[in-house]
Structure formats: C-alpha cells, structure tokens
Amino acid sequence: GIQVEQSPPDLILQEGANSTLRCNFSDSVNNLQWFHQNPWGQLINLFYIPSGTKQNGRLSATTVATERYSLLYISSSQTTDSGVYFCAVELRGSGAGSYQLTFGKGTKLSVIP
Amino acid sequence: EAEVAQSPRYKITEKSQAVAFWCDPISGHATLYWYRQILGQGPELLVQFQDESVVDDSQLPKDRFSAERLKGVDSTLKIQPAELGDSAMYLCASSLALSYEQYFGPGTRLTVT
C-alpha cells in the first residue's frame, strides 16, 4: 500500500517562530489533506491540496505531486498551534486502498511562550 | 457551520461487553467513514459507505465488529465482545462523495477494562 512519511516527528518552537512540516508519499494521489488534531482529539481540516499552493492566514501549504511531497508552513506560531499535524493521502486509481485516506504518523508541535 | 456528530464522546466498558457508537454525517454527504486511532498513531480506516452500501470493509475485524448505515444517513459501529486491545479513539468522517474532502467528527474515546 501507499506509504506516507512525515517529518520531523517532534518539533518545539518558541512563540513567534516559523516552521515547515513535510509529508512524503510513495505513489500518485487523488487527494491530500492536512489536519490539526487538538488536545481533545478533534481533527480539524487545514487544507485540501492534491496539488498547488494554498494559504489561510498564518498557514500555507504546497503540494508538488510530481515529486510526491507536500509542505505545511506555519508562520508566527502561537501556543494554540500546539498539537499533532497529520498529512493524509488518497491513492490514485480504483484498486485496493483507493477512495480512503492513509495517514502519516504525524508531527507533534509544541509552541512555548 | 455543518458538522459531523458522534456519540457518546467517551465510553468505558468491561471486556466481553457489547458497545455501540453513533455517527451523523454532514447533511447531503453520501460517503461515510469509520476510522480507529490508537494513541500515538494516525487514524486507520475500518469501513467506508457510499450511501447505504459498503465500499470497503477489508480492515474491519468482522468477527467482532459490525457497521451499518441502513437509510444512507446516520451510521452505527458495534463491537461485540469488546477486548482490551479495542481501547482507542473511534472517528467518523463524511464527504460529499468518493475522493472529496473528508470532515471528521469529535470522536468517541473507548476504554476497555
């Protein structure tokens, strides 16, 4: 099946710092989503980005599908940004594993005041 | 803003007992997913519905787990009998159709004692 690798696994930032999270995937994808999981376990949609670049406030994301990676940028980090960030991809095609999201193991971000 | 609803939010049960979780997707969403998330890992798909039909249940432990979406709207996931290893977060998600952006509910945190 498709492999999804996220890096770094853990990240500690001072409030106000910028960061880049990476997601590598092993096959062509139909769909790629970034989520933020808050301390209560809720998965919050950040970006639906199978290709290209999107921005939402202090967050932006870029997916280069031909090179099989996506980046999530967090600027001017705040303590409320703490949590786990997941990348999830949907395999292209109609074979086994299609139409479902395969998640990476996540990046645990801690923003300290 | 429309949300995916789940209940209960927390459930503690003894092993060998039966337990059931309920999910109400965003109105109009044809596709519904159940995921299981073990602590420290990303969610993994258990079962996927398109309207009332199962699209993929290859990762559902069918000897003890069952899922239904009888009228193509809300869904129930059941475990009988529960085992200690079933302790996890159970997440429901929905999307407009296959391969569209998925939205997650708040989850049910299950503890089996």
Side-chain angles (χ1 to χ4, degrees):
Chain A
I2 193 167
Q3 304 298 315
V4 182
E5 295 181 356
Q6 291 187 244
S7 59
D10 296 278
L11 186 58
I12 300 174
L13 294 177
Q14 198 79 36
E15 197 169 25
N18 303 328
S19 63
T20 301
L21 282 56
R22 187 176 180 102
C23 173
N24 292 333
F25 44 95
S26 60
D27 213 331
S28 299
V29 297
N30 274 336
N31 175 9
L32 188 147
Q33 291 185 240
W34 282 97
F35 297 92
H36 174 213
Q37 190 164 41
N38 64 23
W40 296 271
Q42 173 87 52
L43 279 168
I44 299 165
N45 289 41
L46 297 178
F47 295 101
Y48 172 79
I49 187 167
S51 63
T53 297
K54 291 186 178 180
Q55 181 158 7
N56 184 4
R58 296 182 297 104
L59 302 181
S60 64
T62 295
T63 297
V64 183
T66 53
E67 298 187 19
R68 299 183 182 170
Y69 73 88
S70 183
L71 302 174
L72 177 68
Y73 305 96
I74 305 174
S75 64
S76 304
S77 58
Q78 302 175 358
T79 55
T80 52
D81 294 332
S82 296
V84 182
Y85 289 79
F86 286 103
C87 167
V89 303
E90 178 193 319
L91 185 68
R92 182 182 295 274
S94 58
S98 300
Y99 309 123
Q100 61 176 267
L101 287 179
T102 298
F103 283 75
K105 293 185 177 181
T107 291
K108 184 176 180 181
L109 176 63
S110 301
V111 181
I112 55 177
Chain B
E1 184 174 307
E3 295 179 342
V4 177
Q6 288 189 248
S7 67
R9 294 292 306 277
Y10 304 91
K11 180 71 178 179
I12 301 174
T13 191
E14 294 182 348
K15 64 179 180 179
S16 80
Q17 297 298 304
V19 63
F21 314 130
W22 177 80
C23 172
D24 192 15
I26 293 172
S27 178
H29 279 197
T31 312
L32 184 147
Y33 313 78
W34 284 101
Y35 290 84
R36 177 169 60 183
Q37 185 178 20
I38 296 169
L39 193 64
Q41 299 181 20
E44 293 183 340
L45 183 74
L46 290 173
V47 61
Q48 178 182 350
F49 291 91
Q50 177 71 13
D51 299 313
E52 66 276 7
S53 300
V54 173
V55 174
D56 185 350
D57 64 356
S58 59
Q59 296 168 85
L60 187 71
K62 298 183 190 62
D63 56 335
R64 297 185 301 108
F65 286 64
S66 64
E68 60 184 17
R69 192 184 184 199
L70 294 176
K71 297 182 180 179
V73 180
D74 58 338
S75 175
T76 301
L77 178 69
K78 298 179 181 177
I79 309 175
Q80 182 173 17
E83 295 181 353
L84 295 177
D86 297 331
S87 295
M89 175 76 93
Y90 290 82
L91 294 160
C92 179
S94 71
S95 63
L96 200 59
L98 293 175
S99 297
Y100 279 64
E101 185 173 5
Q102 293 186 29
Y103 297 86
F104 282 77
T108 297
R109 192 175 298 274
L110 173 68
T111 301
V112 182
T113 62

